[in-house]
Amino acid sequence: MLEHYRDVAPQGTVELLRQLGRRVEGKSMVHVNSTRYGGGVAEILHRLLPLFDELGVKTRWEVMTGSDLFYRTTKSFHNALQGTRQRITPEMYDAFIECDRDNAKRLNLDAEFAMIHDPQPVALIDARPHGATWIWRCHIDVSTPQHSVWQFLRPFVVRYDAAVFSLPKFSQRLPLPQFLVYPSIDPFSEKNRELEHDEIDRVLQRLGVPRDKPILLQVSRFDRFKDPVGVVAAYRLVKKSHDCRLVLAGGTATDDPEGSEVLAEVQGAVDRDPDVHILLLPPTANLEINALQRAATIIYQKSTREGFGLTVAEALWKGKPVIGGETGGITVQLIQGVTGFTVNSPEGAAFYTRRLLNDPDLMAVLGQQGKEYARHRFLITRHLQEYLGLLIFLQQRVRNG
Amino acid sequence: MLNHIANTPFRFVSCMELREVLGKRAMDEHRLLELIEEVPADSIYYHTHSYFLRHAYTQQLYSNDFATWVVLYAQDRLLGERLGVLDPFDFSDIEHLRDEILRIVAEHLNHSTVPRCVVSEPFEFIRSHIIEIPLALEARTLSEFHDALADVEVGAVYNHVCEARMRKRPLSGDFARWLSSEDGLGLQELALNIERVGRLGLSLEGMRNKILYLCEQELAR
């Protein structure tokens, strides 16, 4: 499987991965998160784990289960950590602890390395087996968290051996080493593999999206931080001068109870415009997302807060011009005027959309440069390389005492 | 000499960079100065050398992060220019480089009108841990060395030129040392020219091409 990446990854990458793999061959590793489908973390794990296995690291993936109250609590934690004030009751904190305790009994956490993803399973650290190395992998932006929620989570976090963040500014004052690793996309996954033209046409026909005019697209959960209402506002400004369609394709994740509320707000903003298509896609609609991204003229990720925003990397990999919110990992992926544009308002998004629609050559240049940049920085091979490096580093540190 | 077979082959070793965030941030130039003084040497190394490992699209303005940040975020082009011209290959170790950066920033803050502005992005101090990756690639002759260098993953160029010189020593870098040594090829002049390549302000690919060119010239003699 690793050999397939020889054609898409930068020169020499596969050899490097094999050499790195030899240093941790035979080790065991468990990943824990809170959902198997939907959201960037689950997607990465689906693709990353077989590669770890191929390199001789025996890897498992354990998924937490929880009550509605647990998921409501962790959604509130998510919002609070990303800076939106939440009211968390003592019952919610109790439900969180209780759920992690139950999962600690149920899940198989026996491995030399554990990577615990995001805040939901953070309290599993209570069940760390003796001698195991545990890493807290935080995918979200915790740079300006609600103090009370961070103070609740911090005592768990500080007991880990290391933390991994997606951007330097997401890191916190912690008495443990904090590493920087960008997440990634897999060019061979159903969401990113090459598609034939007629395959794209068939999918769009099935989804009821005509290809008669330029398509502006945002793919993301119906989440306030993704600002779908702002995307509709930008589209309305563009529509004054350019005939186009807007597609808002929103997946939902099993751990996101807020989605339907935001969806209703978006439907209200769209107000039955026939050129706006709101597509509610199941978490497994990877082919559909792939086809939509390949059919799109311009792709948005107009988030106001973002962990990393891997839909940007997906769009770059497909050679599309991207306009994204100037936040989180989007700023790492979109180099202004080189691989895309970052904006701070619907007006900014509308301005660059018009500029791109007026200049197909600029769209082509951005698309080409974006793909090249994604090849080097955001493919799964680079991600795997950094995780292997981290295991080697931590293994060495344990040996050296 | 050109047909000479080295007693000890040159073994190519690539590397990867693991980035550790130190959780230290500067919001203005005064704090930047304080933190440059206190962070570990590995952090000074990262912010003055890792530029070479980055993609060309993100190689902004200057080849050290301090210079780039003061220009882009602290709006201080004068200090940016003074820091930007620093060549890490001029220094025999990181502490000397740190001292020079401190001198430039301190002198600037003492004698210049420093722009006052609210920065949108703080300077985030990072340090790197380099993990070496031995490759199954070795050379015993200059011709083999040339061919291997042409194909090797670019991280190996970084490891043998930048990393070898500053963190591992010797200051000449691995290529020059092997080419000049008795156990290697004993090519003193070529080694000296290759040692200078690091100081030309080239990208890693540029360094590779220049070294290949120097080897080709030697092979053609």
Side-chain angles (χ1 to χ4, degrees), chain B residues 44-68:
Chain B
I44 303 296
Y45 177 86
Y46 173 83
H47 292 295
T48 50
H49 287 74
S50 289
Y51 168 88
F52 294 108
L53 282 173
R54 293 177 202 160
H55 193 277
Y57 296 155
T58 53
Q59 290 179 344
Q60 299 169 312
L61 285 179
Y62 297 113
S63 61
N64 77 70
D65 295 340
F66 305 118
T68 300

CSV table of all heavy atoms in Angstrom, one decimal, chain B residues 44-68:
chain,number,residue,atom,x,y,z
B,44,ILE,N,17.1,28.8,18.7
B,44,ILE,CA,17.8,29.8,17.8
B,44,ILE,C,18.1,29.1,16.5
B,44,ILE,O,18.0,29.7,15.5
B,44,ILE,CB,19.0,30.4,18.5
B,44,ILE,CG1,18.7,31.0,19.9
B,44,ILE,CG2,19.8,31.3,17.6
B,44,ILE,CD1,17.8,32.2,19.8
B,45,TYR,N,18.6,27.9,16.7
B,45,TYR,CA,18.9,27.1,15.5
B,45,TYR,C,17.7,27.0,14.6
B,45,TYR,O,17.8,27.2,13.3
B,45,TYR,CB,19.4,25.7,15.9
B,45,TYR,CG,19.8,24.8,14.7
B,45,TYR,CD1,21.0,24.8,14.1
B,45,TYR,CD2,18.8,23.9,14.2
B,45,TYR,CE1,21.3,24.0,13.1
B,45,TYR,CE2,19.1,23.1,13.1
B,45,TYR,CZ,20.4,23.2,12.6
B,45,TYR,OH,20.7,22.4,11.5
B,46,TYR,N,16.6,26.6,15.1
B,46,TYR,CA,15.4,26.4,14.3
B,46,TYR,C,15.0,27.6,13.6
B,46,TYR,O,14.8,27.6,12.4
B,46,TYR,CB,14.2,26.0,15.2
B,46,TYR,CG,12.9,25.9,14.4
B,46,TYR,CD1,12.5,24.8,13.7
B,46,TYR,CD2,12.0,27.0,14.4
B,46,TYR,CE1,11.4,24.7,12.9
B,46,TYR,CE2,10.8,27.0,13.7
B,46,TYR,CZ,10.5,25.8,12.9
B,46,TYR,OH,9.4,25.8,12.2
B,47,HIS,N,15.0,28.8,14.3
B,47,HIS,CA,14.6,30.0,13.6
B,47,HIS,C,15.6,30.6,12.7
B,47,HIS,O,15.3,31.6,12.0
B,47,HIS,CB,14.2,31.0,14.7
B,47,HIS,CG,12.9,30.6,15.4
B,47,HIS,ND1,11.7,30.5,14.8
B,47,HIS,CD2,12.7,30.2,16.7
B,47,HIS,CE1,10.8,30.1,15.7
B,47,HIS,NE2,11.4,29.9,16.9
B,48,THR,N,16.8,30.1,12.6
B,48,THR,CA,17.8,30.6,11.7
B,48,THR,C,18.2,29.6,10.6
B,48,THR,O,18.9,29.9,9.7
B,48,THR,CB,19.1,31.0,12.4
B,48,THR,OG1,19.5,30.0,13.3
B,48,THR,CG2,18.8,32.3,13.3
B,49,HIS,N,17.8,28.3,10.8
B,49,HIS,CA,18.2,27.3,9.8
B,49,HIS,C,17.0,26.6,9.1
B,49,HIS,O,17.2,26.1,8.0
B,49,HIS,CB,19.1,26.2,10.5
B,49,HIS,CG,20.4,26.7,10.8
B,49,HIS,ND1,20.7,27.6,11.9
B,49,HIS,CD2,21.6,26.5,10.2
B,49,HIS,CE1,22.0,27.9,11.9
B,49,HIS,NE2,22.6,27.2,10.9
B,50,SER,N,15.9,26.4,9.8
B,50,SER,CA,14.8,25.6,9.3
B,50,SER,C,14.2,26.1,8.0
B,50,SER,O,13.5,25.4,7.3
B,50,SER,CB,13.7,25.3,10.4
B,50,SER,OG,14.3,24.5,11.4
B,51,TYR,N,14.5,27.4,7.8
B,51,TYR,CA,14.1,28.0,6.6
B,51,TYR,C,14.4,27.1,5.4
B,51,TYR,O,13.6,27.0,4.4
B,51,TYR,CB,14.8,29.3,6.5
B,51,TYR,CG,14.8,30.0,5.1
B,51,TYR,CD1,13.7,30.9,4.8
B,51,TYR,CD2,15.8,29.8,4.2
B,51,TYR,CE1,13.7,31.5,3.6
B,51,TYR,CE2,15.7,30.5,3.0
B,51,TYR,CZ,14.7,31.3,2.7
B,51,TYR,OH,14.6,32.0,1.5
B,52,PHE,N,15.6,26.5,5.4
B,52,PHE,CA,16.0,25.7,4.3
B,52,PHE,C,15.1,24.5,4.0
B,52,PHE,O,15.0,24.0,2.9
B,52,PHE,CB,17.5,25.2,4.5
B,52,PHE,CG,18.5,26.3,4.5
B,52,PHE,CD1,19.0,26.7,5.7
B,52,PHE,CD2,18.8,27.0,3.4
B,52,PHE,CE1,20.0,27.7,5.8
B,52,PHE,CE2,19.7,28.0,3.4
B,52,PHE,CZ,20.3,28.4,4.6
B,53,LEU,N,14.5,24.0,5.1
B,53,LEU,CA,13.7,22.8,4.9
B,53,LEU,C,12.2,23.1,4.5
B,53,LEU,O,11.4,22.2,4.2
B,53,LEU,CB,13.6,22.0,6.2
B,53,LEU,CG,14.8,21.1,6.6
B,53,LEU,CD1,14.7,20.6,8.0
B,53,LEU,CD2,15.0,20.0,5.6
B,54,ARG,N,11.9,24.4,4.4
B,54,ARG,CA,10.5,24.8,4.1
B,54,ARG,C,10.3,24.8,2.6
B,54,ARG,O,11.2,25.0,1.8
B,54,ARG,CB,10.2,26.1,4.7
B,54,ARG,CG,10.2,26.0,6.2
B,54,ARG,CD,9.9,27.4,6.9
B,54,ARG,NE,10.4,27.3,8.2
B,54,ARG,CZ,10.7,28.4,9.0
B,54,ARG,NH1,10.6,29.6,8.5
B,54,ARG,NH2,11.2,28.2,10.2
B,55,HIS,N,9.0,24.7,2.3
B,55,HIS,CA,8.7,24.8,0.8
B,55,HIS,C,9.0,26.2,0.3
B,55,HIS,O,8.8,27.2,1.1
B,55,HIS,CB,7.2,24.5,0.7
B,55,HIS,CG,6.8,24.2,-0.8
B,55,HIS,ND1,6.6,25.3,-1.6
B,55,HIS,CD2,6.8,23.1,-1.5
B,55,HIS,CE1,6.3,24.8,-2.8
B,55,HIS,NE2,6.4,23.5,-2.8
B,56,ALA,N,9.4,26.3,-0.9
B,56,ALA,CA,9.7,27.6,-1.5
B,56,ALA,C,8.6,28.7,-1.3
B,56,ALA,O,8.9,29.8,-1.1
B,56,ALA,CB,10.1,27.5,-3.0
B,57,TYR,N,7.3,28.2,-1.4
B,57,TYR,CA,6.2,29.2,-1.3
B,57,TYR,C,6.2,29.9,0.1
B,57,TYR,O,5.6,30.9,0.2
B,57,TYR,CB,4.9,28.5,-1.5
B,57,TYR,CG,4.7,27.9,-2.9
B,57,TYR,CD1,3.8,26.9,-3.1
B,57,TYR,CD2,5.4,28.4,-4.0
B,57,TYR,CE1,3.6,26.3,-4.3
B,57,TYR,CE2,5.2,27.9,-5.2
B,57,TYR,CZ,4.3,26.8,-5.4
B,57,TYR,OH,4.1,26.3,-6.6
B,58,THR,N,6.7,29.2,1.1
B,58,THR,CA,6.6,29.8,2.4
B,58,THR,C,8.0,30.4,2.9
B,58,THR,O,8.1,30.8,4.0
B,58,THR,CB,6.2,28.8,3.5
B,58,THR,OG1,7.1,27.6,3.4
B,58,THR,CG2,4.8,28.3,3.3
B,59,GLN,N,8.9,30.4,2.0
B,59,GLN,CA,10.2,31.0,2.3
B,59,GLN,C,10.0,32.5,2.1
B,59,GLN,O,10.2,33.1,1.0
B,59,GLN,CB,11.3,30.5,1.5
B,59,GLN,CG,11.6,29.0,1.8
B,59,GLN,CD,12.7,28.4,1.0
B,59,GLN,OE1,13.1,29.0,0.0
B,59,GLN,NE2,13.3,27.3,1.5
B,60,GLN,N,9.6,33.2,3.2
B,60,GLN,CA,9.2,34.6,3.1
B,60,GLN,C,10.4,35.5,3.3
B,60,GLN,O,11.3,35.2,4.1
B,60,GLN,CB,8.2,34.9,4.1
B,60,GLN,CG,6.9,34.1,4.0
B,60,GLN,CD,6.0,34.3,5.2
B,60,GLN,OE1,6.5,34.2,6.3
B,60,GLN,NE2,4.8,34.6,5.0
B,61,LEU,N,10.4,36.6,2.6
B,61,LEU,CA,11.4,37.7,2.9
B,61,LEU,C,12.8,37.3,3.2
B,61,LEU,O,13.7,37.3,2.3
B,61,LEU,CB,10.8,38.5,4.0
B,61,LEU,CG,9.6,39.4,3.7
B,61,LEU,CD1,9.2,40.2,5.0
B,61,LEU,CD2,10.0,40.4,2.6
B,62,TYR,N,13.0,36.9,4.4
B,62,TYR,CA,14.4,36.6,4.9
B,62,TYR,C,14.6,35.2,5.3
B,62,TYR,O,13.6,34.5,5.6
B,62,TYR,CB,14.7,37.6,6.0
B,62,TYR,CG,14.7,39.0,5.7
B,62,TYR,CD1,13.8,39.9,6.2
B,62,TYR,CD2,15.6,39.5,4.8
B,62,TYR,CE1,13.7,41.2,5.8
B,62,TYR,CE2,15.6,40.9,4.4
B,62,TYR,CZ,14.7,41.7,4.9
B,62,TYR,OH,14.6,43.0,4.6
B,63,SER,N,15.8,34.8,5.4
B,63,SER,CA,16.1,33.4,5.7
B,63,SER,C,16.2,33.2,7.2
B,63,SER,O,16.5,32.1,7.7
B,63,SER,CB,17.4,32.9,5.1
B,63,SER,OG,18.5,33.7,5.6
B,64,ASN,N,15.8,34.2,8.0
B,64,ASN,CA,15.6,33.8,9.5
B,64,ASN,C,14.3,34.4,9.9
B,64,ASN,O,13.9,35.5,9.5
B,64,ASN,CB,16.8,34.2,10.3
B,64,ASN,CG,16.9,35.7,10.6
B,64,ASN,OD1,16.1,36.2,11.4
B,64,ASN,ND2,17.9,36.4,10.0
B,65,ASP,N,13.7,33.7,10.8
B,65,ASP,CA,12.3,34.0,11.2
B,65,ASP,C,12.2,35.3,12.0
B,65,ASP,O,11.2,36.0,12.0
B,65,ASP,CB,11.7,32.9,12.1
B,65,ASP,CG,11.6,31.6,11.4
B,65,ASP,OD1,11.6,31.6,10.1
B,65,ASP,OD2,11.5,30.5,12.0
B,66,PHE,N,13.3,35.7,12.7
B,66,PHE,CA,13.2,36.9,13.5
B,66,PHE,C,13.1,38.1,12.5
B,66,PHE,O,12.3,39.0,12.8
B,66,PHE,CB,14.5,37.1,14.3
B,66,PHE,CG,14.8,35.9,15.2
B,66,PHE,CD1,15.9,35.1,15.1
B,66,PHE,CD2,13.9,35.5,16.2
B,66,PHE,CE1,16.2,34.0,15.9
B,66,PHE,CE2,14.1,34.5,17.1
B,66,PHE,CZ,15.3,33.7,16.9
B,67,ALA,N,13.9,38.1,11.5
B,67,ALA,CA,13.9,39.2,10.5
B,67,ALA,C,12.5,39.3,9.9
B,67,ALA,O,11.9,40.3,9.7
B,67,ALA,CB,14.9,39.0,9.5
B,68,THR,N,12.0,38.1,9.5
B,68,THR,CA,10.7,38.1,8.8
B,68,THR,C,9.6,38.6,9.7
B,68,THR,O,8.7,39.4,9.3
B,68,THR,CB,10.4,36.7,8.3
B,68,THR,OG1,11.4,36.3,7.4
B,68,THR,CG2,9.0,36.6,7.6
